[in-house]
Each structure stands twice: as C-alpha cells, then as structure tokens.
Amino acid sequence: RQGHPSLQRDAADAGRMSEDTTPPTGATPRPAWSRYLLVAGAALALLLLGAAAGVLIGVPGSPSTQPVPKADSVDVGFAQDMTVHHEQAVQMAAWERDHTTDPQLRQLAYDIETGQSRQIGHMQGWLALWDAAALPSGPHMKWMSANGSGQMNHSGMATGGMQGMDRMPGMATDDELRRLRASSGPALDVLFLQLMLRHHEGGTGMLQYAGQYASIPDVRSLASQMLKAQTTEGEYMRQLLARFGAKPLPI
C-alpha cells in the first residue's frame, strides 16, 4: 500500500478527464449540453476517487481517517456557496466564449469556464462523500460565522454574519445577465470583463475565509488555489478593460 501509485494515477486521470486542454479556435461552438457533461464528469471522477480512497483504512490523509464535517461547518458551507458562485461564472464565460470575436477574450473565457467547472466537480464530489446537500438551503455565507470571528472581506465590508446574505458579493443580477446576452462586439467584451472582474473580486472574502478556517486541508488548499488564480485573472482583466478604455464596476 505504501505510496499507493494507482490512486495517484487515478487522481491524475481524473484531472485530465475534467479539463479540455485544446485551446479554442473560434470554430463551431460547443453545444450547451457538453458543458453540463463536463461538470457531471468531473464530479463523477471525484466521487470514484473518493470512494477508492475511502477503502484505504488507516492511510494518513484519506477520507476514512478524517472526520466528516458538519452541515453548518466552513467546509460544507464553502463548497455549497462557492458552487453557486462558480456556476454563474461558468454561465457568463460560456456565453462570452461562444459569442466574442476577440481571440484574447475567447481564451480567457475558455480558461475560466473549464477551470471553474473542474473546481465545481471537486466541491460536489466532496459534498457527496460527506453526505451533505449539493446546494445551500438558506441564506448564503452563514458558515463564515462558524468560528465566531467577525470576518470582513478585502473591501472591509461584512461578508457573513449569523443571518447570512440573500445574494453573495459579486453576483450579477438577472438584468445584467440579460444585457450580456443582448450585447455583441466590443460592448459584449467590455460588459463581460466588468461582470467577471466584479464576480472574482466579490468571491475573495469567501476564499480567504475558507483558506484560513476550513477544517480539512484539501478544502483550505483548493480555496487558496482559487484565490491565487482569480487574483491573477483579475489583474489581466483590468489590463484588458484599460485596452478598451473602460473601468471596472464597483463591488
């Protein structure tokens, strides 16, 4: 059992299954159902991997040796809320990818769509292994009070609290999504960049909190990876907005 090379190969294969590394070329757009298969496939891969790890009784770091987080824990709440947050980003990125004529914007949208779809698969796989609900059933971000700290986001605005929030920071409204779908050309690209940048920045508080307070190391690691990736993407989006002569939206 030492090293468990087969489990490591399964993990690597699962990562490759959930990411299409072929750059977009602007040819025939992928059908909408393919995106849902991408998410479902990633989740299934993680479920199978988790089940395999679970039978390795006594192996340090395996799910069988870690306590299952409670329904009101940081780990569960983060996975549920960030799934919802990511799903909207995937929706916006998929639209931009299929409708922009700008190669740089197409590539950026493709990277966001595939990257966050893969992360949704990770989080949904964990929730299934923990026998937790796939999505939140009440106000968002109540889990950010799980450790009793008065945590604030990067803008100094309260992000959680015992009551939670009806809408997570950075989320686009229904009207904004309709405007995105009705736009074309440079107007589409600018609005996409503005909405996605605000979306990334709005999730910073949750990522920082989970990266610090989640009880499971893999959850803290994923939150930290998300924060790093979204910070880099945010800087790039600011550069692209400047190229268009446009400014970011306020959070």
Side-chain angles (χ1 to χ4, degrees), residues 156-221:
M157 300 169 60
T159 55
M162 296 303 294
Q163 291 77 32
M165 304 180 70
D166 292 331
R167 177 182 292 275
M168 288 177 281
M171 294 286 284
T173 65
D174 291 341
D175 181 63
E176 287 171 333
L177 294 176
R178 283 191 292 268
R179 286 172 50 208
L180 183 70
R181 292 190 293 267
S183 302
S184 60
L188 168 65
D189 296 334
V190 168
L191 184 56
F192 166 74
L193 288 169
Q194 290 174 327
L195 294 178
M196 189 61 73
L197 175 58
R198 187 183 66 184
H199 197 274
H200 274 18
E201 292 178 341
T204 296
M206 289 190 287
L207 296 175
Q208 291 175 334
Y209 195 93
Q212 182 174 358
Y213 294 111
S215 62
I216 296 179
D218 284 348
V219 177
R220 296 197 301 271
S221 177

Side-chain angles (χ1 to χ4, degrees), residues 66-83 123 126-127 130 132-133 143-144 146 209-211 213-221:
Q66 294 181 359
V68 175
K70 297 180 180 179
D72 61 350
S73 66
V74 171
D75 305 78
V76 170
F78 168 75
Q80 291 172 336
D81 277 350
M82 193 53 67
T83 289
M123 293 183 290
W126 287 333
L127 290 168
W130 300 333
W143 52 273
M144 292 184 70
Y209 195 93
Y213 294 111
S215 62
I216 296 179
D218 284 348
V219 177
R220 296 197 301 271
S221 177

Side-chain angles (χ1 to χ4, degrees), residues 12-226:
D13 291 341
R16 287 192 292 270
M17 287 171 60
S18 63
E19 180 176 10
D20 177 5
T21 57
T22 303
T25 61
T28 303
R30 289 183 300 153
W33 54 263
S34 67
R35 302 187 193 101
Y36 297 103
L37 289 180
L38 176 67
V39 176
L44 178 60
L46 265 295
L47 284 173
L48 294 175
L49 178 60
V55 303
L56 302 177
I57 303 300
V59 177
S62 72
S64 61
T65 63
Q66 294 181 359
V68 175
K70 297 180 180 179
D72 61 350
S73 66
V74 171
D75 305 78
V76 170
F78 168 75
Q80 291 172 336
D81 277 350
M82 193 53 67
T83 289
V84 176
H85 208 267
H86 268 24
E87 282 177 343
Q88 188 183 80
V90 169
Q91 177 186 358
M92 292 191 295
W95 184 266
E96 173 71 8
R97 180 187 188 274
D98 290 346
H99 294 85
T100 185
T101 59
D102 187 311
Q104 286 183 287
L105 269 294
R106 184 182 297 114
Q107 183 65 58
L108 173 63
Y110 171 84
D111 291 342
I112 293 173
E113 180 189 6
T114 54
Q116 296 209 6
S117 292
R118 183 176 63 252
Q119 292 164 358
I120 290 172
H122 277 274
M123 293 183 290
Q124 287 298 299
W126 287 333
L127 290 168
L129 289 171
W130 300 333
D131 197 26
L135 299 174
S137 59
H140 299 290
M141 302 168 69
K142 290 180 68 176
W143 52 273
M144 292 184 70
S145 297
N147 73 333
S149 70
Q151 194 76 2
M152 298 290 174
N153 73 0
H154 66 294
S155 299
M157 300 169 60
T159 55
M162 296 303 294
Q163 291 77 32
M165 304 180 70
D166 292 331
R167 177 182 292 275
M168 288 177 281
M171 294 286 284
T173 65
D174 291 341
D175 181 63
E176 287 171 333
L177 294 176
R178 283 191 292 268
R179 286 172 50 208
L180 183 70
R181 292 190 293 267
S183 302
S184 60
L188 168 65
D189 296 334
V190 168
L191 184 56
F192 166 74
L193 288 169
Q194 290 174 327
L195 294 178
M196 189 61 73
L197 175 58
R198 187 183 66 184
H199 197 274
H200 274 18
E201 292 178 341
T204 296
M206 289 190 287
L207 296 175
Q208 291 175 334
Y209 195 93
Q212 182 174 358
Y213 294 111
S215 62
I216 296 179
D218 284 348
V219 177
R220 296 197 301 271
S221 177
L222 182 62
S224 297
Q225 291 172 24
M226 288 180 183

